[in-house]
């Protein structure tokens, strides 16, 4: 019989933030694949769990996945855990889950702690729609396009950041996004947990004056739809009506459809667009 892969959420700080089901599965499986066996041993010893462990991390995620797949095919039940939080969220767990799906091996996820959701709910920012970017790429060429995409993002934005890169990231966010409100969460669920409601300008000043410590989650307000619409309308108003019309005609629209879109762009009625174009033709 083929084994099952259990994706087990573990605490992000406070060791009590673990479900009874995860504890049971960690005791019952044949093997635990851990991102850092030394780190995970603290959790397992705390709950008196003696299941054998093996390492599964960013640097061996592809080759070790094949080893674990073979074990699952032989009937071994495996629990996959990350250093903190839910496997597959900003860690190599997604590779293992995908390989299991490709091989027809059962995968089940045991919910629990997740830093991005914890920070989002703590922030008070709108949570119906949000954008999770995890850690921004270290490479500047990869990083810049992602930041630029976030300029017009209307959803709440969630980022992870390490202390040694926090100040630089805050400076880049300010330069690209402008002065947004954000919540900076640090050491979530731990003894010295902090959730600070601040602006990007003030955050840059704060971490220029003091050294960041601990792991950070940034929850940033999205752009206002009304503000984006005003900016869009202003950019179209810089064009004459005839330039605006030609813009859409050159892209294959018929005149009727172009006028409809022009009215939408400028926030006015189609009748006003028609009259404006008529006045232009009569003046010629």
């Amino acid at each position: 019989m083929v084994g099952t892969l259990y994706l087990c959420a573990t605490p992000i700080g406070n060791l009590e933030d673990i479900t009874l089901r995860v504890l049971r599965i960690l005791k019952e499986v044949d093997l635990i694949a851990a991102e850092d066996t030394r780190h995970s041993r603290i959790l397992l010893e705390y709950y008196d769990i003696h299941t054998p462990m093996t390492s599964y991390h960013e640097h061996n995620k592809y080759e070790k996945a094949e080893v674990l797949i073979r074990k699952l095919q032989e009937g071994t039940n495996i629990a996959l855990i990350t250093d903190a939080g839910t496997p597959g969220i900003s860690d190599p767990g997604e590779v293992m889950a995908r390989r299991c799906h490709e091989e027809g091996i059962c995968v089940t996820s045991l919910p629990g702690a997740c830093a991005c959701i914890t920070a989002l709910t703590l922030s008070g920012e709108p949570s119906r729609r949000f954008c999770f970017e995890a850690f921004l790429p270290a490479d500047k060429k990869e990083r810049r396009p992602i930041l630029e995409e976030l300029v017009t993002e209307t959803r709440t934005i969630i980022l992870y950041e390490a202390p040694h890169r926090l100040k630089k990231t805050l400076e880049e966010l300010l330069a690209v996004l402008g002065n947004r409100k954000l919540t900076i969460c640090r050491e979530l669920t731990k003894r010295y947990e902090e959730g600070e409601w601040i602006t990007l300008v003030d955050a840059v000043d704060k971490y220029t004056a003091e050294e960041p410590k601990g792991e950070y989650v940034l929850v940033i307000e999205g752009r206002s739809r009304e503000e984006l619409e005003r900016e869009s309308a202003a950019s179209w108003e810089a064009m004459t009506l005839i330039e605006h019309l030609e813009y859409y005609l050159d892209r294959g629209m018929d005149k009727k459809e172009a006028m409809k879109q022009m009215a939408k762009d400028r926030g006015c009625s189609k009748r006003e667009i028609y009259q404006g174009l008529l006045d232009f033709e009569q003046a010629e």
Side-chain angles (χ1 to χ4, degrees):
M1 183 180 290
V2 177
T4 297
L5 177 69
Y6 297 89
L7 305 175
C8 295
T10 53
I12 59 175
N14 192 314
L15 292 181
E16 294 178 2
D17 292 333
I18 191 166
T19 70
L20 295 174
R21 183 180 172 211
V22 168
L23 290 175
R24 175 175 63 80
I25 291 298
L26 292 178
K27 290 176 182 178
E28 291 179 358
V29 294
D30 305 300
L31 182 66
I32 296 172
E35 189 173 7
D36 184 334
T37 55
R38 293 167 300 177
H39 179 90
S40 296
R41 191 166 285 112
I42 298 169
L43 175 68
L44 299 185
E45 288 177 355
Y46 185 84
Y47 285 105
D48 195 29
I49 297 171
H50 305 284
T51 306
M53 274 196 296
T54 188
S55 65
Y56 178 74
H57 49 71
E58 183 65 28
H59 303 294
N60 72 353
K61 61 184 178 183
Y62 295 112
E63 58 269 26
K64 191 58 173 283
E66 301 311 311
V67 174
L68 297 176
I69 287 292
R70 286 195 294 273
K71 288 183 177 295
L72 286 158
Q73 290 170 332
E74 292 166 359
T76 304
N77 290 314
I78 300 175
L80 181 65
I81 60 175
T82 182
D83 282 353
T86 300
I89 303 295
S90 194
D91 86 339
E94 64 186 50
V95 173
M96 189 63 202
R98 184 167 59 249
R99 284 293 293 119
C100 284
H101 292 311
E102 290 170 352
E103 297 295 331
I105 296 168
C106 180
V107 180
T108 186
S109 183
L110 283 61
C114 184
C116 64
I117 299 300
T118 303
L120 175 62
T121 54
L122 184 152
S123 74
E125 289 293 333
S127 58
R128 188 179 71 84
R129 299 171 67 246
F130 61 91
C131 164
F132 176 56
E133 286 290 343
F135 290 96
L136 292 170
D139 184 271
K140 197 171 183 178
K141 288 183 180 178
E142 294 179 37
R143 189 181 179 97
R144 186 71 186 191
I146 292 173
L147 286 171
E148 288 173 353
E149 285 177 10
L150 296 179
V151 171
T152 56
E153 179 59 72
T154 58
R155 296 171 294 179
T156 300
I157 302 163
I158 307 172
L159 303 174
Y160 288 163
E161 195 50 277
H164 65 281
R165 289 202 302 260
L166 179 68
K167 180 175 175 289
K168 179 183 176 183
T169 295
L170 289 170
E171 289 172 342
E172 286 183 299
L173 288 168
L174 176 59
V176 177
L177 304 185
N179 190 24
R180 306 272 187 99
K181 291 186 295 182
L182 78 158
T183 304
I184 300 182
C185 299
R186 186 180 78 89
E187 299 292 271
L188 285 169
T189 78
K190 299 178 185 177
R191 182 178 180 183
Y192 297 107
E193 172 184 287
E194 290 181 0
E196 185 171 14
W197 290 262
I198 196 168
T199 65
L200 279 169
V201 165
D202 291 337
V204 168
D205 290 343
K206 174 183 171 71
Y207 289 105
T208 298
E210 65 182 68
E211 183 183 354
K213 294 179 181 179
E215 297 299 317
Y216 291 83
V217 185
L218 311 179
V219 185
I220 307 164
E221 69 172 342
R223 283 289 298 277
S224 157
R225 285 189 179 278
E226 291 75 15
E227 186 179 356
L228 286 174
E229 287 169 2
R230 284 196 301 271
E231 287 181 5
S232 176
S235 68
W236 290 117
E237 286 166 8
M239 286 185 177
T240 65
L241 284 177
I242 197 67
E243 287 170 341
H244 199 165
L245 177 64
E246 287 172 350
Y247 174 86
Y248 285 123
L249 295 179
D250 289 345
R251 282 156 180 76
M253 279 192 186
D254 62 39
K255 190 172 181 180
K256 184 177 180 182
E257 188 62 29
M259 289 170 60
K260 182 179 178 182
Q261 186 60 47
M262 288 168 65
K264 185 176 179 182
D265 292 340
R266 291 172 178 261
C268 62
S269 69
K270 202 166 93 172
R271 178 184 290 275
E272 289 175 276
I273 297 295
Y274 176 79
Q275 187 60 52
L277 289 170
L278 187 63
D279 291 344
F280 180 85
E281 289 173 1
Q282 291 174 345
E284 291 235 313

